[in-house]
Amino acid sequence: MELYFATGNPHKLAEANSILSKFGILLKPAPSPKIEIQSESLEEIARYAAEAAYRSLGSPLVVEDSGLFVESLKGFPGPYSSYVYKTIGCGGILRLLEGCTDRTARFECVVVYASGEEMRSFIGVTKGSIAEAPRGSSGFGFDPIFISEERDGKTFSELRPSEKSAISHRGRAFRALGEWLSCSGREHTLK
Ligand code: ITT
């Protein structure tokens, strides 16, 4: 089973493919870019992008929107995570949290599947906290400063890719998609 994935982020593509390969699903990069609206809802952003991508491709596809939500920053950067990472980066988040004792944070991910007949959302969340300093070398984005509450004090960047996917927001959302596609016995091929 093959589907397009409309994303400009090659790390997302690699992580999603390592998860979906266990379901016999291969994601191919979509030739058209992801159209991103501004909204406070990851699901709204992902659904709009999926509709636009389906209109342009006419083939079954997935789109994903994700973000880091920091409690004491009232959920910032949340849906603005991509821009915030490109502008102030991990260092900027650490500076915003200087002197802050509540470092609770979570990653959220919404995967939207769209075909001509239906559109479905799959949500994944992982909880943790923001480290005092970046640690580790694998992954991307905010991985060096995110400590999962499920992995004794290690940041996502200190985990192997498979360890991260086992507990990550993306792992959870794409596994839910994989299970749904497998259960519903759908067959897709690229046009
Ligand atoms: P596309 O929109 O093209 O898919 P993007 O990177 O811009 O790629 P988003 O708009 O969904 O994706 O932004 C999510 C940002 O949140 C992403 O750029 C990272 O900075 C951060 N992020 C999301 N998932 C992450 C993860 O697993 N590890 C580290 N940072 C992550």
Side-chain angles (χ1 to χ4, degrees), residues 41-91:
S41 157
L42 296 184
E43 186 164 5
E44 200 183 340
I45 296 168
R47 287 180 88 90
Y48 186 94
E51 269 169 15
Y54 187 79
R55 271 198 303 277
S56 117
L57 290 168
S59 266
L61 59 90
V62 292
V63 162
E64 184 251 60
D65 209 67
S66 48
L68 174 70
F69 295 75
V70 181
E71 283 287 318
S72 60
L73 302 178
K74 301 190 185 330
F76 182 83
Y80 312 109
S81 293
S82 184
Y83 180 71
V84 169
Y85 179 74
K86 283 181 208 145
T87 50
I88 62 172
C90 291

Short mmCIF file of all heavy atoms in Angstrom, two decimals, residues 41-91:
data_model
loop_
_atom_site.label_atom_id
_atom_site.label_comp_id
_atom_site.label_asym_id
_atom_site.label_seq_id
_atom_site.Cartn_x
_atom_site.Cartn_y
_atom_site.Cartn_z
N SER A 41 -5.39 25.47 16.15
CA SER A 41 -5.71 24.04 16.20
C SER A 41 -4.87 23.26 15.20
O SER A 41 -4.95 23.49 13.99
CB SER A 41 -7.20 23.86 15.89
OG SER A 41 -7.46 22.56 15.41
N LEU A 42 -4.07 22.31 15.70
CA LEU A 42 -3.26 21.48 14.80
C LEU A 42 -4.16 20.73 13.84
O LEU A 42 -3.84 20.55 12.66
CB LEU A 42 -2.45 20.45 15.61
CG LEU A 42 -1.38 20.94 16.59
CD1 LEU A 42 -0.65 19.75 17.18
CD2 LEU A 42 -0.40 21.89 15.93
N GLU A 43 -5.32 20.29 14.35
CA GLU A 43 -6.21 19.49 13.49
C GLU A 43 -6.76 20.34 12.35
O GLU A 43 -6.83 19.87 11.21
CB GLU A 43 -7.35 18.89 14.32
CG GLU A 43 -8.18 17.95 13.48
CD GLU A 43 -9.07 17.03 14.28
OE1 GLU A 43 -9.12 17.16 15.52
OE2 GLU A 43 -9.72 16.17 13.65
N GLU A 44 -7.11 21.59 12.65
CA GLU A 44 -7.64 22.46 11.59
C GLU A 44 -6.56 22.69 10.53
O GLU A 44 -6.83 22.66 9.32
CB GLU A 44 -8.09 23.78 12.21
CG GLU A 44 -9.04 24.55 11.36
CD GLU A 44 -9.42 25.90 11.97
OE1 GLU A 44 -9.27 26.08 13.18
OE2 GLU A 44 -9.86 26.77 11.21
N ILE A 45 -5.33 22.92 10.97
CA ILE A 45 -4.21 23.15 10.04
C ILE A 45 -4.03 21.91 9.15
O ILE A 45 -3.91 21.99 7.93
CB ILE A 45 -2.91 23.46 10.81
CG1 ILE A 45 -3.04 24.76 11.60
CG2 ILE A 45 -1.71 23.52 9.86
CD1 ILE A 45 -1.92 25.00 12.62
N ALA A 46 -4.02 20.73 9.80
CA ALA A 46 -3.75 19.49 9.06
C ALA A 46 -4.90 19.17 8.10
O ALA A 46 -4.68 18.73 6.97
CB ALA A 46 -3.51 18.34 10.02
N ARG A 47 -6.15 19.39 8.53
CA ARG A 47 -7.29 19.07 7.66
C ARG A 47 -7.33 19.99 6.44
O ARG A 47 -7.61 19.54 5.33
CB ARG A 47 -8.61 19.11 8.44
CG ARG A 47 -8.75 17.93 9.38
CD ARG A 47 -10.04 17.98 10.16
NE ARG A 47 -11.15 17.33 9.46
CZ ARG A 47 -11.48 16.04 9.59
NH1 ARG A 47 -10.79 15.25 10.37
NH2 ARG A 47 -12.50 15.54 8.93
N TYR A 48 -7.04 21.26 6.65
CA TYR A 48 -7.03 22.19 5.52
C TYR A 48 -5.95 21.76 4.52
O TYR A 48 -6.18 21.73 3.30
CB TYR A 48 -6.78 23.63 6.01
CG TYR A 48 -6.92 24.65 4.90
CD1 TYR A 48 -8.14 25.31 4.69
CD2 TYR A 48 -5.85 24.92 4.05
CE1 TYR A 48 -8.27 26.22 3.65
CE2 TYR A 48 -5.97 25.83 3.01
CZ TYR A 48 -7.18 26.48 2.82
OH TYR A 48 -7.32 27.38 1.79
N ALA A 49 -4.76 21.43 5.06
CA ALA A 49 -3.64 21.04 4.19
C ALA A 49 -3.97 19.76 3.44
O ALA A 49 -3.62 19.60 2.26
CB ALA A 49 -2.38 20.84 5.03
N ALA A 50 -4.67 18.83 4.11
CA ALA A 50 -5.01 17.55 3.46
C ALA A 50 -6.01 17.79 2.33
O ALA A 50 -5.87 17.21 1.25
CB ALA A 50 -5.58 16.58 4.49
N GLU A 51 -7.00 18.65 2.58
CA GLU A 51 -7.99 18.95 1.52
C GLU A 51 -7.31 19.57 0.31
O GLU A 51 -7.55 19.17 -0.83
CB GLU A 51 -9.03 19.95 2.05
CG GLU A 51 -10.23 19.29 2.68
CD GLU A 51 -11.11 20.31 3.41
OE1 GLU A 51 -10.94 21.53 3.20
OE2 GLU A 51 -11.94 19.86 4.20
N ALA A 52 -6.42 20.54 0.58
CA ALA A 52 -5.73 21.23 -0.52
C ALA A 52 -4.84 20.24 -1.28
O ALA A 52 -4.81 20.25 -2.52
CB ALA A 52 -4.90 22.39 0.04
N ALA A 53 -4.14 19.38 -0.55
CA ALA A 53 -3.24 18.43 -1.21
C ALA A 53 -4.04 17.42 -2.02
O ALA A 53 -3.64 17.04 -3.12
CB ALA A 53 -2.38 17.71 -0.16
N TYR A 54 -5.20 17.00 -1.49
CA TYR A 54 -6.00 16.04 -2.26
C TYR A 54 -6.53 16.67 -3.55
O TYR A 54 -6.54 16.03 -4.60
CB TYR A 54 -7.16 15.47 -1.42
CG TYR A 54 -7.84 14.36 -2.20
CD1 TYR A 54 -7.27 13.08 -2.23
CD2 TYR A 54 -8.96 14.60 -2.97
CE1 TYR A 54 -7.83 12.08 -2.99
CE2 TYR A 54 -9.52 13.60 -3.74
CZ TYR A 54 -8.96 12.34 -3.74
OH TYR A 54 -9.49 11.34 -4.51
N ARG A 55 -6.92 17.95 -3.44
CA ARG A 55 -7.41 18.63 -4.66
C ARG A 55 -6.32 18.66 -5.73
O ARG A 55 -6.58 18.51 -6.90
CB ARG A 55 -7.84 20.07 -4.33
CG ARG A 55 -9.30 20.19 -3.91
CD ARG A 55 -9.79 21.63 -4.03
NE ARG A 55 -9.00 22.57 -3.26
CZ ARG A 55 -9.16 22.81 -1.97
NH1 ARG A 55 -10.08 22.16 -1.29
NH2 ARG A 55 -8.40 23.69 -1.34
N SER A 56 -5.07 18.86 -5.29
CA SER A 56 -4.01 18.97 -6.29
C SER A 56 -3.50 17.60 -6.76
O SER A 56 -3.13 17.44 -7.91
CB SER A 56 -2.89 19.87 -5.74
OG SER A 56 -1.69 19.21 -5.60
N LEU A 57 -3.54 16.57 -5.89
CA LEU A 57 -2.96 15.27 -6.27
C LEU A 57 -4.00 14.28 -6.79
O LEU A 57 -3.68 13.44 -7.64
CB LEU A 57 -2.27 14.63 -5.05
CG LEU A 57 -0.99 15.28 -4.56
CD1 LEU A 57 -0.61 14.71 -3.20
CD2 LEU A 57 0.13 15.04 -5.55
N GLY A 58 -5.18 14.32 -6.18
CA GLY A 58 -6.22 13.36 -6.58
C GLY A 58 -5.91 11.93 -6.21
O GLY A 58 -6.47 11.00 -6.79
N SER A 59 -4.99 11.73 -5.24
CA SER A 59 -4.64 10.39 -4.78
C SER A 59 -4.69 10.37 -3.25
O SER A 59 -4.45 11.40 -2.62
CB SER A 59 -3.19 10.07 -5.16
OG SER A 59 -3.13 9.40 -6.36
N PRO A 60 -4.95 9.20 -2.65
CA PRO A 60 -4.96 9.13 -1.18
C PRO A 60 -3.64 9.63 -0.60
O PRO A 60 -2.56 9.36 -1.14
CB PRO A 60 -5.14 7.64 -0.90
CG PRO A 60 -5.83 7.11 -2.11
CD PRO A 60 -5.27 7.91 -3.26
N LEU A 61 -3.73 10.35 0.49
CA LEU A 61 -2.52 10.96 1.06
C LEU A 61 -2.67 11.18 2.56
O LEU A 61 -3.77 11.08 3.11
CB LEU A 61 -2.27 12.31 0.39
CG LEU A 61 -3.39 13.34 0.50
CD1 LEU A 61 -3.24 14.20 1.73
CD2 LEU A 61 -3.44 14.19 -0.74
N VAL A 62 -1.54 11.49 3.19
CA VAL A 62 -1.55 11.93 4.58
C VAL A 62 -0.80 13.25 4.71
O VAL A 62 0.09 13.56 3.92
CB VAL A 62 -0.93 10.89 5.56
CG1 VAL A 62 -1.78 9.66 5.66
CG2 VAL A 62 0.49 10.56 5.17
N VAL A 63 -1.26 14.00 5.74
CA VAL A 63 -0.61 15.24 6.13
C VAL A 63 -0.48 15.17 7.63
O VAL A 63 -1.29 14.52 8.30
CB VAL A 63 -1.50 16.44 5.70
CG1 VAL A 63 -1.11 17.69 6.43
CG2 VAL A 63 -1.41 16.67 4.21
N GLU A 64 0.54 15.81 8.18
CA GLU A 64 0.71 15.77 9.63
C GLU A 64 1.04 17.16 10.13
O GLU A 64 1.81 17.87 9.49
CB GLU A 64 1.86 14.80 9.92
CG GLU A 64 2.13 14.56 11.37
CD GLU A 64 3.43 15.18 11.84
OE1 GLU A 64 3.58 16.42 11.75
OE2 GLU A 64 4.30 14.43 12.30
N ASP A 65 0.42 17.57 11.24
CA ASP A 65 0.83 18.82 11.88
C ASP A 65 1.13 18.51 13.33
O ASP A 65 0.41 17.74 13.98
CB ASP A 65 -0.24 19.90 11.76
CG ASP A 65 0.41 21.28 11.75
OD1 ASP A 65 1.13 21.60 10.78
OD2 ASP A 65 0.25 22.02 12.74
N SER A 66 2.22 19.07 13.82
CA SER A 66 2.65 18.73 15.18
C SER A 66 3.22 19.96 15.87
O SER A 66 3.47 20.98 15.22
CB SER A 66 3.68 17.60 15.15
OG SER A 66 4.69 17.88 14.20
N GLY A 67 3.42 19.85 17.18
CA GLY A 67 3.98 20.99 17.89
C GLY A 67 4.33 20.65 19.32
O GLY A 67 3.87 19.65 19.88
N LEU A 68 5.17 21.51 19.89
CA LEU A 68 5.60 21.39 21.29
C LEU A 68 4.79 22.39 22.11
O LEU A 68 4.75 23.59 21.77
CB LEU A 68 7.10 21.74 21.38
CG LEU A 68 7.69 21.81 22.79
CD1 LEU A 68 7.76 20.41 23.41
CD2 LEU A 68 9.09 22.44 22.75
N PHE A 69 4.14 21.92 23.16
CA PHE A 69 3.30 22.77 24.01
C PHE A 69 3.93 22.85 25.40
O PHE A 69 4.01 21.84 26.09
CB PHE A 69 1.88 22.19 24.10
CG PHE A 69 1.14 22.20 22.79
CD1 PHE A 69 1.46 21.28 21.78
CD2 PHE A 69 0.14 23.12 22.55
CE1 PHE A 69 0.78 21.28 20.56
CE2 PHE A 69 -0.55 23.13 21.33
CZ PHE A 69 -0.22 22.22 20.35
N VAL A 70 4.36 24.06 25.79
CA VAL A 70 5.02 24.23 27.10
C VAL A 70 4.01 24.85 28.07
O VAL A 70 3.49 25.95 27.83
CB VAL A 70 6.27 25.13 26.97
CG1 VAL A 70 6.95 25.27 28.33
CG2 VAL A 70 7.25 24.55 25.94
N GLU A 71 3.74 24.12 29.17
CA GLU A 71 2.69 24.54 30.13
C GLU A 71 2.86 25.96 30.63
O GLU A 71 1.94 26.76 30.57
CB GLU A 71 2.71 23.59 31.36
CG GLU A 71 2.09 22.25 31.11
CD GLU A 71 0.57 22.30 31.04
OE1 GLU A 71 -0.06 23.00 31.85
OE2 GLU A 71 0.02 21.63 30.14
N SER A 72 4.07 26.27 31.14
CA SER A 72 4.23 27.57 31.79
C SER A 72 4.29 28.71 30.78
O SER A 72 4.25 29.88 31.16
CB SER A 72 5.47 27.57 32.69
OG SER A 72 6.58 27.31 31.89
N LEU A 73 4.35 28.37 29.48
CA LEU A 73 4.26 29.40 28.43
C LEU A 73 2.86 29.38 27.82
O LEU A 73 2.67 29.84 26.70
CB LEU A 73 5.32 29.16 27.35
CG LEU A 73 6.80 29.13 27.81
CD1 LEU A 73 7.72 28.84 26.62
CD2 LEU A 73 7.19 30.45 28.47
N LYS A 74 1.89 28.83 28.58
CA LYS A 74 0.48 28.76 28.14
C LYS A 74 0.34 28.03 26.80
O LYS A 74 -0.47 28.40 25.94
CB LYS A 74 -0.14 30.15 28.07
CG LYS A 74 -0.13 30.89 29.41
CD LYS A 74 -0.96 32.14 29.32
CE LYS A 74 -0.95 33.03 30.54
NZ LYS A 74 -0.77 32.45 31.84
N GLY A 75 1.17 27.00 26.60
CA GLY A 75 1.06 26.18 25.39
C GLY A 75 1.95 26.62 24.23
O GLY A 75 2.05 25.93 23.22
N PHE A 76 2.61 27.78 24.36
CA PHE A 76 3.54 28.24 23.33
C PHE A 76 4.71 27.24 23.24
O PHE A 76 5.11 26.73 24.28
CB PHE A 76 4.05 29.64 23.71
CG PHE A 76 4.98 30.27 22.72
CD1 PHE A 76 4.50 30.94 21.60
CD2 PHE A 76 6.36 30.18 22.91
CE1 PHE A 76 5.38 31.52 20.69
CE2 PHE A 76 7.23 30.75 21.99
CZ PHE A 76 6.73 31.42 20.89
N PRO A 77 5.30 26.97 22.08
CA PRO A 77 4.96 27.50 20.76
C PRO A 77 3.80 26.79 20.06
O PRO A 77 3.30 27.31 19.07
CB PRO A 77 6.25 27.31 19.97
CG PRO A 77 6.95 26.16 20.60
CD PRO A 77 6.58 26.21 22.07
N GLY A 78 3.37 25.61 20.52
CA GLY A 78 2.19 24.94 19.97
C GLY A 78 2.14 24.94 18.45
O GLY A 78 3.08 24.46 17.79
N PRO A 79 1.07 25.51 17.87
CA PRO A 79 0.94 25.47 16.40
C PRO A 79 1.97 26.32 15.67
O PRO A 79 2.09 26.24 14.45
CB PRO A 79 -0.48 26.01 16.16
CG PRO A 79 -0.87 26.71 17.41
CD PRO A 79 -0.10 26.10 18.54
N TYR A 80 2.72 27.12 16.41
CA TYR A 80 3.76 27.97 15.79
C TYR A 80 5.15 27.33 15.91
O TYR A 80 6.16 27.99 15.72
CB TYR A 80 3.75 29.37 16.42
CG TYR A 80 2.35 29.93 16.51
CD1 TYR A 80 1.70 30.06 17.73
CD2 TYR A 80 1.66 30.28 15.34
CE1 TYR A 80 0.38 30.53 17.79
CE2 TYR A 80 0.36 30.75 15.40
CZ TYR A 80 -0.27 30.86 16.63
OH TYR A 80 -1.57 31.31 16.68
N SER A 81 5.20 26.05 16.26
CA SER A 81 6.48 25.41 16.57
C SER A 81 7.50 25.47 15.44
O SER A 81 8.69 25.68 15.67
CB SER A 81 6.25 23.95 16.96
OG SER A 81 5.55 23.88 18.18
N SER A 82 7.02 25.30 14.20
CA SER A 82 7.95 25.27 13.09
C SER A 82 8.65 26.64 12.97
O SER A 82 9.89 26.73 12.88
CB SER A 82 7.18 24.94 11.80
OG SER A 82 8.04 24.82 10.73
N TYR A 83 7.86 27.71 13.01
CA TYR A 83 8.42 29.07 12.89
C TYR A 83 9.32 29.40 14.09
O TYR A 83 10.41 29.96 13.94
CB TYR A 83 7.27 30.07 12.79
CG TYR A 83 7.73 31.50 12.67
CD1 TYR A 83 8.33 31.95 11.49
CD2 TYR A 83 7.60 32.39 13.73
CE1 TYR A 83 8.77 33.25 11.38
CE2 TYR A 83 8.04 33.70 13.62
CZ TYR A 83 8.63 34.12 12.45
OH TYR A 83 9.07 35.41 12.34
N VAL A 84 8.87 29.01 15.26
CA VAL A 84 9.65 29.31 16.48
C VAL A 84 10.97 28.55 16.46
O VAL A 84 12.03 29.08 16.82
CB VAL A 84 8.81 28.99 17.75
CG1 VAL A 84 9.67 29.03 19.00
CG2 VAL A 84 7.66 29.98 17.86
N TYR A 85 10.93 27.30 15.97
CA TYR A 85 12.19 26.55 15.89
C TYR A 85 13.15 27.24 14.92
O TYR A 85 14.34 27.39 15.21
CB TYR A 85 11.94 25.09 15.46
CG TYR A 85 13.24 24.36 15.36
CD1 TYR A 85 13.91 23.97 16.52
CD2 TYR A 85 13.85 24.12 14.14
CE1 TYR A 85 15.15 23.35 16.46
CE2 TYR A 85 15.08 23.50 14.06
CZ TYR A 85 15.72 23.13 15.23
OH TYR A 85 16.96 22.54 15.17
N LYS A 86 12.60 27.70 13.77
CA LYS A 86 13.48 28.33 12.76
C LYS A 86 14.01 29.68 13.24
O LYS A 86 15.06 30.13 12.81
CB LYS A 86 12.71 28.54 11.46
CG LYS A 86 12.53 27.28 10.65
CD LYS A 86 11.78 27.57 9.35
CE LYS A 86 11.02 26.34 8.88
NZ LYS A 86 9.75 26.65 8.25
N THR A 87 13.29 30.36 14.11
CA THR A 87 13.70 31.69 14.53
C THR A 87 14.53 31.66 15.83
O THR A 87 15.71 31.97 15.82
CB THR A 87 12.48 32.62 14.69
OG1 THR A 87 11.50 31.96 15.50
CG2 THR A 87 11.88 32.96 13.34
N ILE A 88 13.91 31.25 16.95
CA ILE A 88 14.66 31.29 18.21
C ILE A 88 15.25 29.93 18.61
O ILE A 88 16.14 29.87 19.47
CB ILE A 88 13.83 31.89 19.37
CG1 ILE A 88 12.58 31.05 19.66
CG2 ILE A 88 13.44 33.33 19.05
CD1 ILE A 88 11.82 31.50 20.93
N GLY A 89 14.73 28.84 18.02
CA GLY A 89 15.31 27.52 18.24
C GLY A 89 15.21 27.02 19.68
O GLY A 89 14.49 27.59 20.51
N CYS A 90 15.95 25.94 19.95
CA CYS A 90 15.93 25.34 21.29
C CYS A 90 16.44 26.35 22.32
O CYS A 90 15.90 26.46 23.43
CB CYS A 90 16.82 24.10 21.34
SG CYS A 90 16.19 22.71 20.38
N GLY A 91 17.48 27.11 21.93
CA GLY A 91 18.08 28.10 22.86
C GLY A 91 17.06 29.14 23.30
O GLY A 91 17.04 29.56 24.46
#
